Amino acid sequence: MNIIFLGPPGAGKGTQAQRLIARLGIPQLSTGDVLRKAVAAGTELGKQAKALMEAGKLVPDEVVNGIVDGAIDGPAFANGFLLDGYPRTVPQAEALDAMLKKRGKRIDHVIDLEVPTEVIVDRISGRRTCPKCSAGYHVTSQPPKVADTCDKCGTSPLSVRADDAPDRVRQRMVEYSSKTALLTGYYKAQGVVRTIDGVGSMEEIEQRISKAIGR
Ligand code: AMP
């Protein structure tokens, strides 16, 4: 099963994606995680992306298309995958369709998480990420077992993403409403959009997703 997560920054895509991949046993590809790792490692890709990411702007389509095109041939992706944070523009969605078609694959479900702006602001301000393994936490709704320490790899302290600062979040919302929101229409035309109410407990939202995809 091939799945895309859509929704504004802070909608809970990362959290729900982690739960879904554990349940379905498929890999997740987050272009944001790949780019953050590249920035941290100081690679050529990281150098290209750093300033744009820190400003809350989108990285050029060719760059992220290249990341996905390189990844989906991996053997782990043979039985399905989940894309988180990609595609984010209509040209990216068209590029993805072409990549999948070439490989005889298609997108089965586009999960569109709907969350009001005030809930998003609250979620983003409490968000923490492990700088080493990218595991995500929230200070109140999903705290680590030991304060400020990653459950998975023990790294401490957890970090606040540079692009989670309020002015950057506003810029990311602008990018979302001007470019990414158009994707819902693109995928509705393919009949694969599953609109999910993204407000509620993590378990409630997980159940809604499960019902919508029949798994
Ligand atoms: P995310 O973790 O998905 O919120 O992504 C963090 C940042 O990485 C975004 O604000 C963009 O600067 C960049 N990025 C991630 N995925 C994409 C994409 N599909 N297209 C363009 N830029 C992206």
Side-chain angles (χ1 to χ4, degrees):
M1 188 178 277
N2 302 327
I3 300 171
I4 290 174
F5 262 68
L6 284 185
K13 299 188 292 291
T15 306
Q16 289 299 332
Q18 279 180 17
R19 291 176 163 240
L20 192 57
I21 58 167
R23 217 178 61 236
L24 300 182
I26 57 173
Q28 169 190 14
L29 178 62
S30 155
T31 43
D33 282 349
V34 173
L35 291 167
R36 272 185 290 280
K37 282 186 187 141
V39 170
T43 63
E44 202 45 50
L45 172 65
K47 284 182 202 148
Q48 267 180 293
K50 189 169 192 281
L52 289 166
M53 289 178 77
E54 284 177 357
K57 300 220 163 113
L58 293 185
V59 170
D61 290 338
E62 317 78 76
V63 174
V64 282
N65 290 341
I67 293 174
V68 176
D69 202 17
I72 58 174
D73 277 332
F77 284 66
N79 297 320
F81 53 81
L82 184 153
L83 299 176
D84 163 19
Y86 177 92
R88 260 191 167 81
T89 65
V90 170
Q92 288 179 22
E94 288 167 348
L96 175 65
D97 273 349
M99 286 178 224
L100 294 177
K101 198 167 171 203
K102 216 164 57 186
R103 295 164 170 99
K105 297 181 181 202
R106 61 189 296 274
I107 294 298
D108 300 296
H109 301 286
V110 174
I111 297 170
D112 187 16
L113 284 172
E114 281 193 331
V115 182
T117 308
E118 58 278 14
V119 176
I120 286 174
V121 172
D122 173 62
R123 283 189 187 170
I124 290 185
S125 61
R127 190 147 82 166
R128 300 290 180 272
T129 309
C130 173
K132 194 166 170 209
C133 75
S134 303
Y137 301 93
H138 188 280
V139 287
T140 51
S141 63
Q142 197 189 358
K145 292 194 186 83
V146 177
D148 218 19
T149 305
C150 180
D151 290 347
K152 293 193 178 143
C153 72
T155 299
S156 181
L158 298 174
S159 51
V160 176
R161 281 169 46 174
D163 61 353
D164 277 351
D167 57 327
R168 317 290 165 81
V169 172
R170 270 192 290 279
Q171 178 60 39
R172 286 162 63 206
M173 294 296 286
V174 169
E175 293 281 48
Y176 179 79
S177 19
S178 66
K179 295 174 186 154
T180 311
L182 301 175
L183 286 180
T184 315
Y186 179 89
Y187 284 114
K188 273 194 175 147
Q190 297 186 10
V192 290
V193 175
R194 322 290 171 226
T195 304
I196 304 288
D197 173 2
V199 180
S201 71
M202 279 183 285
E203 289 73 21
E204 282 165 345
I205 299 166
E206 186 176 4
Q207 276 170 15
R208 288 175 201 147
I209 294 173
S210 164
K211 198 168 157 208
I213 67 173
R215 289 280 298 274

